[in-house]
Amino acid sequence: MTNDTATKTDLDAELEKYRVELTGYCYRMLGSSFEAEDAVQDTMIRAWRSYEKFEGRSSLRSWLYRIATNVCLDLLTAGNKRARPMDLTESTPLAQAALSPRPDSTWLEPMPDGRVLPTPADPAEAALAKESVRLAFMAALQQLPAKQRAVLILREVLAWKASEVAELLGTSVASVNSALQRARATLAERQRPGGGAAVSDPLDEEQQKLLERYVTAFEGYDMTALTALLHEDAVMTMPPFDLWLTGAGDITGFMTTLGAPCAGSRLVPVEVNGMPGFAQYKPDPETGGFTPWAVQVLEISDGRITGFHCFLDTQRWFPLFGLPLRLEAEADEVEQGA
């Protein structure tokens, strides 16, 4: 191996150390799992190609964040703002429920924790990192102009100094502080339904038991048990459909009508957006076993489920989460169906 090859191999390894945190940054900026990963790959390629020009005037980490920020700002010039259904329409009563899809580019996308959350030694830092990728916070970020978004993430999530952010963005400290103030004011004004998550890290005993009861109720399709777990103002969303429902009555009513084919589903735990979640597999009546249906993200607060978000594009989400595209029926289920 030549010295030049060894140097490039060393650089690849050094850059790779920052992949997870950069993906988290780009994900917060863009609201899209796949765009974030593409943005980080673009960042790595640009860094690799221009490394000879990197003179060490800043740290390698700061330099990578500068490149990643420019990549994200370029992607955001089209003005697309990823959203949740409740950011776009009013809640629909069950009697008027209709499943109207919108393009993939409309929606805030889910993300596995492992792809965006480094493992800090400080538990408080870990908890803050999880809060900063929760759906409600992510949706609020998407309402900010791109540079305000960058300032808020760098200052409040990543705890950069105002002077460091100013240097990264090529602006003044006063400008950074002003952008941060405006961003905070915008977030305070735009509190929307479906944001009431208060999840311990790790989950406390009460929350663990709530999830166990949820799995039992959902897999048994027991609407009485499920109603007991839902907050009276609980919200259900189902991207790519813009429909969203409020209240246990409409949610369980939907599940027993339009959602009735989900009866008998199986749930597999996943860690998603800093919150508890499940991969839902729906029974396959033609071949037996179970096929992917949704990645569920649950928001819980005060011992109840306040948000129930189902991302239905399984051909994209299940591979992203490293999930199989089929579950086989267990032996006892096969015997019962015989």
Side-chain angles (χ1 to χ4, degrees):
M1 183 182 290
T2 66
N3 287 339
D4 187 47
T5 304
T7 300
K8 289 178 178 177
T9 302
D10 292 342
L11 177 59
D12 285 341
E14 194 63 26
L15 295 177
E16 200 61 31
K17 293 178 184 176
Y18 297 96
R19 182 175 293 276
V20 172
E21 65 173 285
L22 286 171
T23 305
Y25 175 62
C26 293
Y27 175 57
R28 294 178 185 99
M29 284 290 291
L30 302 171
S32 164
S33 321
F34 297 102
E35 286 184 4
E37 296 200 327
D38 288 347
V40 172
Q41 193 59 30
D42 191 3
T43 298
M44 296 298 189
I45 291 169
R46 292 189 192 189
W48 197 87
R49 287 176 176 168
S50 59
Y51 186 70
E52 291 179 359
K53 300 176 185 177
F54 173 56
E55 298 174 353
R57 285 176 292 186
S58 63
S59 69
L60 178 61
R61 181 173 183 256
S62 297
W63 184 60
L64 289 171
Y65 270 91
R66 181 180 294 112
I67 298 171
T69 299
N70 289 332
V71 170
C72 290
L73 293 177
D74 287 346
L75 288 169
L76 290 167
T77 53
N80 182 41
K81 295 180 180 180
R82 299 274 176 164
R84 303 170 300 167
M86 66 276 291
D87 301 317
L88 302 177
T89 65
E90 295 300 318
S91 177
T92 305
L94 177 60
Q96 300 170 19
L99 298 177
S100 304
R102 295 201 189 193
D104 290 340
S105 59
T106 306
W107 303 115
L108 178 64
E109 297 178 347
M111 181 64 111
D113 286 359
R115 289 181 179 256
V116 292
L117 298 178
T119 310
D122 183 353
E125 285 184 26
L128 176 62
K130 284 192 172 186
E131 288 176 11
S132 71
V133 293
R134 289 184 181 156
L135 295 175
F137 183 74
M138 287 288 300
L141 282 177
Q142 306 310 302
Q143 303 303 315
L144 298 175
K147 286 196 175 178
Q148 283 186 31
R149 202 179 305 180
V151 167
L152 186 93
I153 296 166
L154 291 165
R155 290 282 286 120
E156 303 230 316
V157 176
L158 302 177
W160 284 39
K161 296 175 182 176
S163 57
E164 294 172 327
V165 178
E167 183 181 354
L168 182 146
L169 294 175
T171 187
S172 67
V173 169
S175 176
V176 166
N177 289 335
S178 175
L180 180 60
Q181 259 189 329
R182 293 196 304 274
R184 284 171 173 165
T186 300
L187 294 193
E189 289 170 4
R190 300 204 178 195
Q191 295 296 322
R192 296 287 296 165
V199 185
S200 300
D201 181 36
L203 296 178
D204 62 31
E205 185 178 357
E206 180 186 0
Q207 291 166 346
Q208 288 280 16
K209 288 181 177 177
L210 174 65
L211 292 180
E212 289 168 8
R213 292 198 299 271
Y214 169 75
V215 171
T216 300
F218 192 94
E219 290 189 342
Y221 233 57
D222 183 340
M223 295 301 123
T224 301
L226 190 59
T227 297
L229 304 178
L230 294 173
H231 189 276
E232 61 181 10
D233 295 323
V235 167
M236 179 181 183
T237 67
M238 292 162 285
F241 302 115
D242 58 15
L243 169 74
W244 62 285
L245 302 165
T246 306
D250 277 3
I251 291 172
T252 56
F254 177 89
M255 291 174 66
T256 54
T257 53
L258 291 175
C262 289
S265 290
R266 292 291 175 266
L267 299 182
V268 176
V270 293
E271 293 182 340
V272 50
N273 286 86
M275 293 182 289
F278 297 93
Q280 178 193 344
Y281 289 84
K282 192 172 69 168
D284 184 342
E286 293 184 8
T287 62
F290 302 86
T291 56
W293 183 247
V295 170
Q296 302 180 359
V297 184
L298 300 187
E299 294 170 323
I300 58 180
S301 182
D302 297 328
R304 291 288 184 273
I305 295 168
T306 56
F308 175 48
H309 307 290
C310 303
F311 294 88
L312 303 181
D313 190 352
T314 54
Q315 293 301 312
R316 301 173 78 213
W317 305 134
F318 277 54
L320 181 72
F321 281 80
L323 294 161
L325 291 175
R326 178 173 177 79
L327 288 183
E328 297 302 329
E330 295 177 4
D332 59 342
E333 292 170 329
V334 173
E335 289 174 7
Q336 289 172 13

